[in-house]
Structure formats: structure tokens, C-alpha cells
Amino acid sequence: MDLSKILAISGKPGLYKMLSQNKSGFIVESLTDGKRFPVFTHERVSSLGEISIFTTVDEDLPLKEIFKKIHAKTEGKQAPDASSDGETIKKFFLEAIPEYDPERVYVSDMKKAIAWYNLLLDKEMMDFTEEEEVKETEAGQEEAKIIEPEQAEKQE
């Protein structure tokens, strides 16, 4: 799942997929209705890959990790509706991400993260399998590196 091409645009609801980039900005497509339009460089645009949430531990948690935790908590199903009351949202967020900082993460932030998660899940863009495959491939490469020096000695 590559969140770097999924954008949140300040003042516009929903999420947008970046289709192309030019000198004056981007061409994006709305994930909710499929409409395409230009976004100019003076507009505030955030890539979901750059967004993180405050935690009580040393480092902030990237949105991708938040989505993974929500996905695990819901077992791949929809999270509670983002328009639910604040207490329901707080309770769900605390269960899914126990390390989030309740003093610096507002309910509006939680609602936005949940709404984005549900939208990406609806559009079947929540695919965490590629990361597992990459980890397995990297582990296999490390094993190959360990074996290579031994084989080199045998050949000599």
C-alpha cells in the first residue's frame, strides 16, 4: 500500500489520488466520485505517507501504521462510522492504538483517520500483503548473503 500518491487537500473533503504532476501543481482524481481536476501549488496538499499521529512513546506513528492497527483491530472490516459520537471514537482509537497521545490527538483527528481508513477500505486500497512479501524477500536475501561467503571458500 503506497500512501504517497494519496492526497488530502485542505478545504476539500475526502481523499484524492495523484494522477500526474506538472509545473503548476497536480492532476488529481477524487476517490469518492471519480472527478478529476487540477490542484495548484499554492493549495495546502498533504500526502498520507507524510502524516503521523502523536504518541506517548518517543516517535510519532505514521498513518500507514495507524491503518495497519485499525485493520488488525477490525479484522479487515469497516471501522466505526466517523460521524459517531466522540466517546465511541475515543474508545475505538484507544483499543486500536493504545500508544496514541490523548492530550495532543483530538477527536477531529481520530475521525479523519477513521474516515480515511474506511474510504480506502471501500476502494480496496488497503493491501498490506506487499510489505510482508518484501520482508520475506529481504530475509531471503540476507540468508543468501550469509551463504555466499561460505560457498566462495569452498570454491577456492
Side-chain angles (χ1 to χ4, degrees):
M1 179 176 67
D2 182 20
L3 293 180
S4 65
K5 302 276 186 198
I6 307 297
L7 308 174
I9 303 171
S10 182
K12 298 187 186 303
L15 294 174
Y16 303 87
K17 183 177 184 179
M18 181 173 60
L19 300 176
S20 66
Q21 186 174 1
N22 57 29
K23 290 187 279 188
S24 61
F26 309 102
I27 302 296
V28 298
E29 179 180 63
S30 171
L31 291 180
T32 52
D33 60 11
K35 292 183 181 178
R36 295 178 178 191
F37 59 92
V39 176
F40 301 100
T41 54
H42 67 274
E43 295 182 68
R44 291 181 53 203
V45 178
S46 299
S47 164
L48 294 192
E50 300 170 349
I51 297 174
S52 60
I53 291 192
F54 295 114
T55 64
T56 54
V57 293
D58 293 336
E59 296 182 13
D60 296 343
L61 203 56
L63 197 56
K64 187 173 194 172
E65 296 301 317
I66 297 293
F67 289 161
K68 280 183 185 178
K69 289 178 179 266
I70 292 173
H71 191 79
K73 168 76 175 134
T74 61
E75 298 175 347
K77 297 179 181 143
Q78 290 281 319
D81 188 16
S83 60
S84 300
D85 67 287
E87 289 305 313
T88 304
I89 297 294
K90 282 182 183 179
K91 181 181 177 195
F92 173 77
F93 223 72
L94 183 61
E95 291 172 359
I97 304 108
E99 66 270 21
Y100 91 93
D101 188 346
E103 292 180 12
R104 298 192 297 171
V105 178
Y106 301 110
V107 173
S108 60
D109 300 327
M110 295 177 212
K111 286 184 176 188
K112 199 177 290 186
I114 290 171
W116 290 346
Y117 169 82
N118 286 337
L119 177 60
L120 291 172
L121 191 66
D122 280 345
K123 298 298 176 181
E124 297 179 358
M125 299 177 83
M126 284 289 169
D127 183 20
F128 299 113
T129 56
E130 64 189 40
E131 295 166 8
E132 293 170 7
E133 291 172 7
V134 168
K135 287 179 184 175
E136 288 174 8
T137 304
E138 288 173 356
Q141 289 174 349
E142 287 178 16
E143 288 176 14
K145 289 178 185 175
I146 293 170
I147 294 171
E148 286 177 18
E150 293 171 2
Q151 291 175 346
E153 290 175 10
K154 290 178 183 177
Q155 290 176 353
E156 293 176 2

